[in-house]
Amino acid sequence: MFAALFLLGCTQTITAQITKEQLQERKELQKMAKTELKEKATKDARKEAKNLKKQGWQIAPGALPIEKQLDRVYTMKYEIDDDMFPKWIMGEAMSIGENYDAAKMQAIALAKQNLAGEIQTEVTALIENNVDNKQLSPEEAASVAKTIAAGKQLISQNVGRTLTVIEMYRVLPNKNKEVRVQIAYNAKMAKQAAKKAIRDDLEKQGDGLAQKLDEVLGW
Protein backbone atom coordinates (compact mmCIF):
# COMPACT_ATOMS: atom_id res chain seq x y z
CA MET A 1 0.00 0.00 0.00
CA PHE A 2 1.10 3.54 -0.58
CA ALA A 3 0.58 6.67 1.45
CA ALA A 4 0.59 10.27 0.35
CA LEU A 5 3.17 12.20 2.35
CA PHE A 6 2.47 15.84 1.79
CA LEU A 7 1.60 18.57 -0.64
CA LEU A 8 4.29 20.89 -1.94
CA GLY A 9 3.96 24.44 -3.21
CA CYS A 10 2.62 27.59 -1.66
CA THR A 11 -1.10 26.81 -1.39
CA GLN A 12 -2.66 28.65 1.52
CA THR A 13 -6.21 28.80 2.91
CA ILE A 14 -8.87 30.71 1.03
CA THR A 15 -8.22 33.76 3.19
CA ALA A 16 -4.64 33.97 1.93
CA GLN A 17 -3.86 37.13 -0.01
CA ILE A 18 -1.21 37.98 -2.56
CA THR A 19 1.48 39.70 -0.50
CA LYS A 20 3.07 43.00 -1.44
CA GLU A 21 6.31 41.14 -2.14
CA GLN A 22 4.56 38.71 -4.50
CA LEU A 23 2.77 41.55 -6.27
CA GLN A 24 6.04 43.46 -6.70
CA GLU A 25 7.73 40.34 -8.05
CA ARG A 26 4.94 39.87 -10.57
CA LYS A 27 5.23 43.47 -11.70
CA GLU A 28 8.97 43.06 -12.22
CA LEU A 29 8.45 39.86 -14.20
CA GLN A 30 5.84 41.57 -16.34
CA LYS A 31 8.38 44.21 -17.34
CA MET A 32 11.00 41.69 -18.41
CA ALA A 33 11.42 40.84 -22.09
CA LYS A 34 10.79 37.26 -23.25
CA THR A 35 14.51 36.71 -23.81
CA GLU A 36 15.29 37.86 -20.26
CA LEU A 37 12.60 35.60 -18.84
CA LYS A 38 13.96 32.66 -20.80
CA GLU A 39 17.48 33.27 -19.52
CA LYS A 40 16.24 33.58 -15.94
CA ALA A 41 14.15 30.40 -16.25
CA THR A 42 17.07 28.41 -17.67
CA LYS A 43 19.46 29.64 -14.98
CA ASP A 44 17.05 28.82 -12.15
CA ALA A 45 16.20 25.44 -13.68
CA ARG A 46 19.83 24.34 -13.93
CA LYS A 47 20.48 25.34 -10.33
CA GLU A 48 17.48 23.43 -9.00
CA ALA A 49 18.15 20.41 -11.22
CA LYS A 50 21.65 20.09 -9.80
CA ASN A 51 20.29 20.05 -6.25
CA LEU A 52 17.56 17.55 -7.09
CA LYS A 53 20.02 15.11 -8.64
CA LYS A 54 22.15 15.27 -5.50
CA GLN A 55 19.03 14.28 -3.55
CA GLY A 56 18.61 11.19 -5.71
CA TRP A 57 15.83 12.34 -8.01
CA GLN A 58 15.75 10.85 -11.50
CA ILE A 59 13.40 10.91 -14.46
CA ALA A 60 10.77 8.34 -15.23
CA PRO A 61 11.18 6.30 -18.45
CA GLY A 62 10.31 8.47 -21.44
CA ALA A 63 10.20 11.71 -19.45
CA LEU A 64 12.18 14.82 -20.33
CA PRO A 65 15.50 15.45 -18.54
CA ILE A 66 15.11 17.19 -15.19
CA GLU A 67 16.67 20.39 -16.54
CA LYS A 68 14.17 20.52 -19.41
CA GLN A 69 11.21 19.83 -17.13
CA LEU A 70 12.23 22.59 -14.72
CA ASP A 71 13.01 25.00 -17.53
CA ARG A 72 9.47 24.59 -18.79
CA VAL A 73 8.00 25.06 -15.31
CA TYR A 74 9.95 28.25 -14.60
CA THR A 75 9.08 29.70 -17.98
CA MET A 76 5.39 29.08 -17.33
CA LYS A 77 5.57 30.45 -13.79
CA TYR A 78 7.11 33.70 -14.99
CA GLU A 79 4.28 34.43 -17.43
CA ILE A 80 1.99 37.12 -15.97
CA ASP A 81 -0.99 38.79 -17.61
CA ASP A 82 -1.98 42.46 -17.43
CA ASP A 83 -4.07 41.85 -14.30
CA MET A 84 -1.08 40.40 -12.43
CA PHE A 85 -2.72 36.99 -12.74
CA PRO A 86 -0.43 34.06 -13.61
CA LYS A 87 -1.06 32.69 -17.09
CA TRP A 88 -0.67 29.21 -15.63
CA ILE A 89 -1.82 27.82 -12.30
CA MET A 90 0.37 25.09 -10.80
CA GLY A 91 -0.27 22.24 -8.43
CA GLU A 92 2.48 20.03 -6.99
CA ALA A 93 2.60 16.95 -4.76
CA MET A 94 4.61 13.90 -3.75
CA SER A 95 3.55 10.40 -2.80
CA ILE A 96 5.31 7.22 -1.70
CA GLY A 97 4.42 3.67 -2.63
CA GLU A 98 5.77 0.24 -3.36
CA ASN A 99 4.34 0.53 -6.86
CA TYR A 100 5.45 3.46 -9.03
CA ASP A 101 2.23 3.81 -11.01
CA ALA A 102 0.04 3.76 -7.91
CA ALA A 103 2.19 6.37 -6.18
CA LYS A 104 2.10 8.51 -9.31
CA MET A 105 -1.69 8.37 -9.51
CA GLN A 106 -1.99 9.40 -5.87
CA ALA A 107 0.48 12.25 -6.36
CA ILE A 108 -1.51 13.55 -9.33
CA ALA A 109 -4.74 13.41 -7.33
CA LEU A 110 -3.11 15.41 -4.54
CA ALA A 111 -1.61 17.86 -7.03
CA LYS A 112 -5.08 18.48 -8.44
CA GLN A 113 -6.34 19.37 -4.96
CA ASN A 114 -3.34 21.66 -4.59
CA LEU A 115 -4.23 23.22 -7.94
CA ALA A 116 -7.80 23.87 -6.80
CA GLY A 117 -6.39 25.66 -3.75
CA GLU A 118 -4.23 27.86 -5.95
CA ILE A 119 -7.26 28.74 -8.08
CA GLN A 120 -9.12 29.69 -4.90
CA THR A 121 -6.31 31.99 -3.82
CA GLU A 122 -6.04 33.74 -7.18
CA VAL A 123 -9.78 34.19 -7.65
CA THR A 124 -10.10 35.54 -4.12
CA ALA A 125 -7.37 38.07 -4.91
CA LEU A 126 -9.34 39.21 -7.96
CA ILE A 127 -12.46 39.66 -5.86
CA GLU A 128 -10.55 41.60 -3.20
CA ASN A 129 -9.19 43.91 -5.87
CA ASN A 130 -12.72 44.63 -7.03
CA VAL A 131 -13.77 45.37 -3.46
CA ASP A 132 -11.01 47.98 -3.38
CA ASN A 133 -12.44 49.41 -6.60
CA LYS A 134 -15.88 49.60 -4.97
CA GLN A 135 -17.42 47.33 -7.59
CA LEU A 136 -18.56 44.88 -4.95
CA SER A 137 -19.70 45.77 -1.47
CA PRO A 138 -17.81 44.20 1.46
CA GLU A 139 -20.91 42.14 2.25
CA GLU A 140 -21.14 40.85 -1.32
CA ALA A 141 -17.44 40.05 -1.42
CA ALA A 142 -17.70 38.23 1.91
CA SER A 143 -20.55 36.13 0.54
CA VAL A 144 -18.54 35.21 -2.56
CA ALA A 145 -15.41 34.45 -0.52
CA LYS A 146 -17.45 32.16 1.72
CA THR A 147 -18.76 30.34 -1.32
CA ILE A 148 -15.25 29.90 -2.74
CA ALA A 149 -13.97 28.63 0.61
CA ALA A 150 -16.63 25.93 0.62
CA GLY A 151 -16.19 25.11 -3.05
CA LYS A 152 -12.66 23.70 -3.29
CA GLN A 153 -13.92 20.23 -4.10
CA LEU A 154 -16.33 21.61 -6.69
CA ILE A 155 -13.52 23.59 -8.32
CA SER A 156 -11.39 20.46 -8.43
CA GLN A 157 -14.22 18.54 -10.08
CA ASN A 158 -14.61 21.25 -12.73
CA VAL A 159 -10.92 21.33 -13.63
CA GLY A 160 -10.41 19.73 -17.03
CA ARG A 161 -7.36 18.08 -18.50
CA THR A 162 -4.12 19.28 -16.93
CA LEU A 163 -0.55 19.28 -18.22
CA THR A 164 2.01 17.21 -16.32
CA VAL A 165 5.13 19.38 -16.37
CA ILE A 166 7.16 17.57 -13.69
CA GLU A 167 7.45 13.82 -13.25
CA MET A 168 10.39 12.36 -11.37
CA TYR A 169 11.10 9.84 -8.65
CA ARG A 170 13.72 8.50 -6.29
CA VAL A 171 14.20 5.13 -4.65
CA LEU A 172 14.13 5.19 -0.86
CA PRO A 173 16.30 2.98 1.40
CA ASN A 174 13.35 0.60 1.90
CA LYS A 175 13.02 0.33 -1.93
CA ASN A 176 9.74 2.24 -2.02
CA LYS A 177 9.32 4.81 -4.79
CA GLU A 178 8.84 8.47 -3.93
CA VAL A 179 7.13 10.15 -6.88
CA ARG A 180 7.00 13.89 -7.45
CA VAL A 181 4.65 15.47 -9.96
CA GLN A 182 3.65 18.99 -10.88
CA ILE A 183 0.68 19.83 -13.05
CA ALA A 184 -0.28 23.04 -14.83
CA TYR A 185 -3.62 24.45 -15.87
CA ASN A 186 -4.36 27.41 -18.11
CA ALA A 187 -5.42 30.38 -15.95
CA LYS A 188 -8.35 31.32 -18.19
CA MET A 189 -9.67 27.78 -17.98
CA ALA A 190 -9.07 27.86 -14.23
CA LYS A 191 -11.28 30.94 -13.95
CA GLN A 192 -13.99 29.11 -15.86
CA ALA A 193 -13.72 26.13 -13.51
CA ALA A 194 -14.00 28.45 -10.51
CA LYS A 195 -16.83 30.37 -12.15
CA LYS A 196 -18.96 27.28 -12.59
CA ALA A 197 -18.39 26.15 -9.01
CA ILE A 198 -19.09 29.62 -7.61
CA ARG A 199 -22.13 30.38 -9.80
CA ASP A 200 -23.76 27.05 -9.02
CA ASP A 201 -23.70 27.93 -5.33
CA LEU A 202 -24.55 31.63 -5.64
CA GLU A 203 -27.50 30.94 -7.89
CA LYS A 204 -28.96 28.74 -5.16
CA GLN A 205 -28.92 31.79 -2.88
CA GLY A 206 -31.17 33.61 -5.35
CA ASP A 207 -29.98 37.15 -4.56
CA GLY A 208 -28.65 38.07 -8.00
CA LEU A 209 -25.05 38.04 -6.83
CA ALA A 210 -24.01 35.45 -9.42
CA GLN A 211 -24.95 37.77 -12.27
CA LYS A 212 -23.28 40.77 -10.63
CA LEU A 213 -20.06 38.80 -10.14
CA ASP A 214 -20.12 37.93 -13.84
CA GLU A 215 -20.33 41.62 -14.70
CA VAL A 216 -17.64 42.73 -12.25
CA LEU A 217 -15.06 40.10 -13.22
CA GLY A 218 -15.90 40.04 -16.90
CA TRP A 219 -16.79 36.34 -16.77
Side-chain angles (χ1 to χ4, degrees):
M1 295 180 65
F2 63 87
L5 285 189
F6 52 85
L7 293 176
L8 297 178
C10 58
T11 301
Q12 304 295 327
T13 63
I14 185 58
T15 55
Q17 301 179 21
I18 295 177
T19 65
K20 291 182 179 179
E21 291 77 12
Q22 289 174 318
L23 183 59
Q24 182 60 36
E25 180 182 12
R26 290 184 180 185
K27 288 181 178 179
E28 292 175 355
L29 289 173
Q30 191 182 43
K31 294 178 181 178
M32 295 176 68
K34 289 184 178 181
T35 52
E36 292 178 302
L37 285 174
K38 181 62 178 177
E39 290 176 359
K40 178 174 174 58
T42 300
K43 181 179 179 180
D44 290 344
R46 288 176 178 174
K47 181 178 180 180
E48 184 177 352
K50 185 177 181 180
N51 290 331
L52 288 172
K53 289 179 179 179
K54 287 182 178 179
Q55 296 169 23
W57 292 98
Q58 54 187 300
I59 60 170
L64 291 173
I66 292 178
E67 292 86 353
K68 293 293 185 181
Q69 291 188 39
L70 293 173
D71 185 47
R72 184 184 185 189
V73 169
Y74 278 113
T75 298
M76 295 170 76
K77 281 185 176 181
Y78 292 152
E79 295 184 74
I80 306 296
D81 65 22
D82 293 335
D83 297 318
M84 297 294 120
F85 196 90
K87 290 185 178 180
W88 296 91
I89 305 297
M90 303 280 187
E92 186 174 4
M94 292 195 300
S95 183
I96 292 177
E98 295 178 2
N99 181 278
Y100 177 88
D101 290 334
K104 176 185 172 181
M105 289 179 62
Q106 178 68 2
I108 290 176
L110 292 173
K112 197 169 183 179
Q113 286 295 317
N114 181 294
L115 178 69
E118 292 292 339
I119 294 172
Q120 284 183 323
T121 300
E122 295 292 344
V123 172
T124 300
L126 286 178
I127 293 172
E128 289 170 347
N129 289 336
N130 282 290
V131 171
D132 292 338
N133 294 330
K134 308 301 181 183
Q135 296 184 58
L136 281 180
S137 70
E139 292 77 16
E140 289 172 330
S143 178
V144 174
K146 182 179 179 180
T147 296
I148 301 173
K152 182 176 179 179
Q153 185 61 35
L154 288 175
I155 292 175
S156 178
Q157 292 172 358
N158 282 293
V159 168
R161 185 176 180 180
T162 60
L163 297 174
T164 300
V165 290
I166 290 288
E167 181 183 345
M168 61 183 73
Y169 75 99
R170 61 182 174 183
V171 181
L172 302 178
N174 62 0
K175 304 304 180 181
N176 280 346
K177 308 297 190 302
E178 183 174 24
V179 180
R180 174 183 175 180
V181 299
Q182 186 165 356
I183 59 177
Y185 197 62
N186 180 273
K188 289 184 179 180
M189 294 175 66
K191 290 180 185 179
Q192 291 300 317
K195 170 188 174 180
K196 188 177 188 310
I198 296 168
R199 287 190 99 267
D200 286 348
D201 188 81
L202 292 178
E203 285 181 344
K204 293 177 182 178
Q205 299 180 27
D207 55 7
L209 186 54
Q211 183 177 353
K212 185 170 184 179
L213 186 65
D214 281 351
E215 296 172 354
V216 170
L217 298 182
W219 284 352

